[in-house]
Amino acid sequence: TPRVFSGIQPSGNLHLGNYLGALKRFVDWQAKDMETIYCMVDLHAITVWQDPKDLQKSTRELCAGFIAAGLDPEKSILINQSQVPEHAQLAWIFNCVARMGWMQRMTQWKDKAGKNQQNASLGLFAYPALMAADILVYHATHVPVGEDQKQHLELTRDIAIKFNHDYGVDFFPETQPVIEGAATRVMSLRDGSKKMSKSDASDASRINMTDDADTIAKKIRKAKTDPDGLPSEAKGLEERPEARNLVNIYAALMEHSVDQVLADVGGKQFSEFKPMLAELAVEKLAPISTEMSRLMDDHTEIDRILTRGSQRARAITAPILRQTYDIVGMVPPV
Ligand code: TYM
C-alpha cells in the first residue's frame, strides 16, 4: 500500500521555500486520502549546533506551522523524530550498509561541512543514513520534497537496494521522490543563483512564514529583478533567474501553471507585478502565521499532538524494526 512520508528540520524559521516546496505539498497528499506521516527531524537538526531552548521552541513552532498550513493531526501522523526511537535504531543498521564513498559524494555534506571537514560532526556525515531510516522504517513509498533533497533520496534507494541484496531479501521498497509543482526550488530574493534558505545571512533573501504583511511587501518590492517586463510564455524566462523565481512563486501560491500566469500578466512591468505578488503572498501567508502564533500561545496542545502521533507511528515502526533485526541476525528477547 502506498504511504507518504516527509520531514522538515526544526532549525530556525520556516520560509517560503519550505512552504511551497514541501509543506504545501504535504497538505495536497493528505487530501488524497493516503496514509501520510510528517516529521520534525530534531535529530537531524543537531548535526549542526542548536541551542537547546531554541531547538525546543523551533520544534513546537514547526508543528504549529504544519497544523496552521492545513495538516490535520487526525488525518496525518505528526511526529518529532526523537520520540520515535526506531528512526535512530534503523539508522545505525544503515550506517553499516552505506559506504563512506556514498556519503562523501553528497553535495549537502560538501556545502555544510565546508573546507574544514575534519571539524564537522560525525552526525552531519551520516545524515543521509538517518534520512533513509526515517523513510524506510515506515516502508514509505512516496516522499514529497524540494529539488535539493533529490540526491538524498537517490541514496535512500541505494541503501534499500544494498540492504535487500546483502541479506538476500525483498524487504525495503524503492521509494519514489515526489518533486512537483512550480516551486520545487525557490531562489533567494537577492540572488537568483542561490536557493532560498534559512542559513542565508541576509533576512531580505527569504520570506519567513512569520513575517508580517509589511515585511513581506517590502522584501518583494526590494527583490532583485532585471529591467525587462514579463514575457507571455515560459520560454521568455530562460536566462532570467530572478524573474523566473518571482513568477514561479506567484504560480505556486495561485496554484496555477507558469503558462497560465504568464497568459495573465505577460507584458506587465515588475513595478506592476511586484505589488500583485506581495498582495497574493500576504493573502496566502497571513492566515497561516496568525494561526501559528495562536497555537504557540499554549504549547500543551502541540505537545499532546506530538505524543499521540508518536504512539501511532510506533505501531508501524516497531514491527518493521523487529523484522529488520531478525533479517540482520539479532537475537530477539523472549
Ligand atoms: P529541510 O529542513 O532543509 O527542508 C524541508 C523541505 O523544504 C524543501 N526546501 C525547499 N523547497 C523549495 N525551495 C527551497 N528554497 C527550499 N528549501 C528547502 C526541502 O527540499 C525539504 O523538502 N533532509 C531534509 C529533512 C528530512 C527529510 C527526511 C525529508 C529528514 N528526513 C525524510 C524527507 C524524508 C531537510 O534538511 O529538509
Side-chain angles (χ1 to χ4, degrees):
T1 49
R3 184 178 276 160
V4 182
F5 179 94
S6 196
I8 297 183
Q9 294 194 59
S11 49
N13 284 325
L14 261 180
H15 56 74
L16 187 64
N18 298 138
Y19 177 62
L20 295 176
L23 187 47
K24 199 167 184 306
R25 304 270 83 75
F26 298 177
V27 180
D28 296 341
W29 281 100
Q30 176 184 264
K32 291 181 196 177
D33 267 341
M34 306 219 327
E35 196 171 8
T36 43
I37 302 147
Y38 299 120
C39 184
M40 351 267 132
V41 292
D42 51 2
L43 298 173
H44 275 116
I46 62 164
T47 56
V48 298
W49 170 251
Q50 304 293 328
D51 180 87
K53 283 221 167 51
D54 293 346
L55 179 62
Q56 234 182 36
K57 177 160 182 277
S58 298
T59 304
R60 289 179 175 134
E61 207 162 62
L62 181 56
C63 185
F66 277 24
I67 296 165
L71 292 180
D72 174 351
E74 294 300 316
K75 288 192 185 144
S76 294
I77 299 180
L78 306 185
I79 54 170
N80 64 325
Q81 197 180 24
S82 58
Q83 282 190 42
V84 185
E86 289 78 12
H87 290 234
Q89 290 176 296
L90 183 61
W92 181 259
I93 305 281
F94 287 170
N95 282 343
C96 302
V97 172
R99 306 288 95 181
M100 299 278 284
W102 299 1
M103 300 302 184
Q104 251 145 9
R105 283 198 293 276
M106 294 294 112
T107 56
Q108 185 176 298
W109 155 251
K110 288 189 263 189
D111 290 349
K112 284 205 177 177
K115 286 199 177 62
N116 195 358
Q117 293 192 348
Q118 297 302 313
N119 202 36
S121 74
L122 185 54
L124 188 66
F125 191 65
Y127 183 112
L130 176 58
M131 181 161 161
D134 293 337
I135 298 165
L136 294 172
V137 80
Y138 296 91
H139 281 188
T141 51
H142 295 65
V143 185
V145 286
E147 175 73 38
D148 62 350
Q149 295 302 314
K150 191 162 177 237
Q151 199 186 26
H152 285 156
L153 294 181
E154 286 162 3
L155 191 113
T156 299
R157 226 176 229 257
D158 291 341
I159 289 178
I161 291 169
K162 182 161 162 55
F163 180 96
N164 289 345
H165 178 266
D166 287 354
Y167 291 101
V169 291
D170 182 14
F171 186 60
F172 288 116
E174 284 200 13
T175 42
Q176 201 61 45
V178 189
I179 302 172
E180 31 174 53
T184 56
R185 189 173 173 81
V186 177
M187 308 309 281
S188 156
L189 298 179
R190 310 298 304 161
D191 178 349
S193 70
K194 287 203 296 196
K195 74 173 181 196
M196 185 178 285
S197 96
K198 19 194 164 201
S199 54
D200 196 314
S202 159
D203 192 61
S205 71
R206 66 182 158 263
I207 292 173
N208 302 304
M209 297 304 285
T210 47
D211 283 345
D212 60 30
D214 285 346
T215 310
I216 293 175
K218 187 161 153 227
K219 285 176 177 176
I220 291 177
R221 191 162 8 98
K222 291 197 167 166
K224 192 176 163 199
T225 41
D226 56 46
D228 296 335
L230 286 154
S232 45
E233 286 174 6
K235 206 162 67 263
L237 290 171
E238 281 166 24
E239 315 292 324
R240 297 179 63 191
E242 285 89 8
R244 188 174 60 214
N245 189 39
L246 295 183
V247 173
N248 284 350
I249 292 173
Y250 190 92
L253 285 169
M254 256 327 232
E255 300 181 37
H256 283 170
S257 72
V258 167
D259 284 317
Q260 278 173 305
V261 169
L262 290 176
D264 284 346
V265 302
K268 288 192 197 305
Q269 294 301 310
F270 274 96
S271 54
E272 201 181 335
F273 178 66
K274 279 180 168 180
M276 290 171 66
L277 176 58
E279 195 183 331
L280 178 66
V282 169
E283 179 193 316
K284 300 287 182 185
L285 303 182
I288 300 176
S289 83
T290 308
E291 179 63 3
M292 271 174 84
S293 52
R294 194 191 67 76
L295 288 163
M296 283 298 286
D297 281 345
D298 175 12
H299 61 68
T300 51
E301 180 62 20
I302 288 176
D303 290 5
R304 260 200 296 269
I305 287 168
L306 291 176
T307 307
R308 174 83 191 107
S310 318
Q311 289 163 347
R312 289 169 68 194
R314 294 196 73 191
I316 304 170
T317 58
I320 291 179
L321 182 74
R322 187 61 253 167
Q323 281 174 278
T324 311
Y325 276 0
D326 289 343
I327 291 168
V328 172
M330 308 295 186
V331 175
V334 286

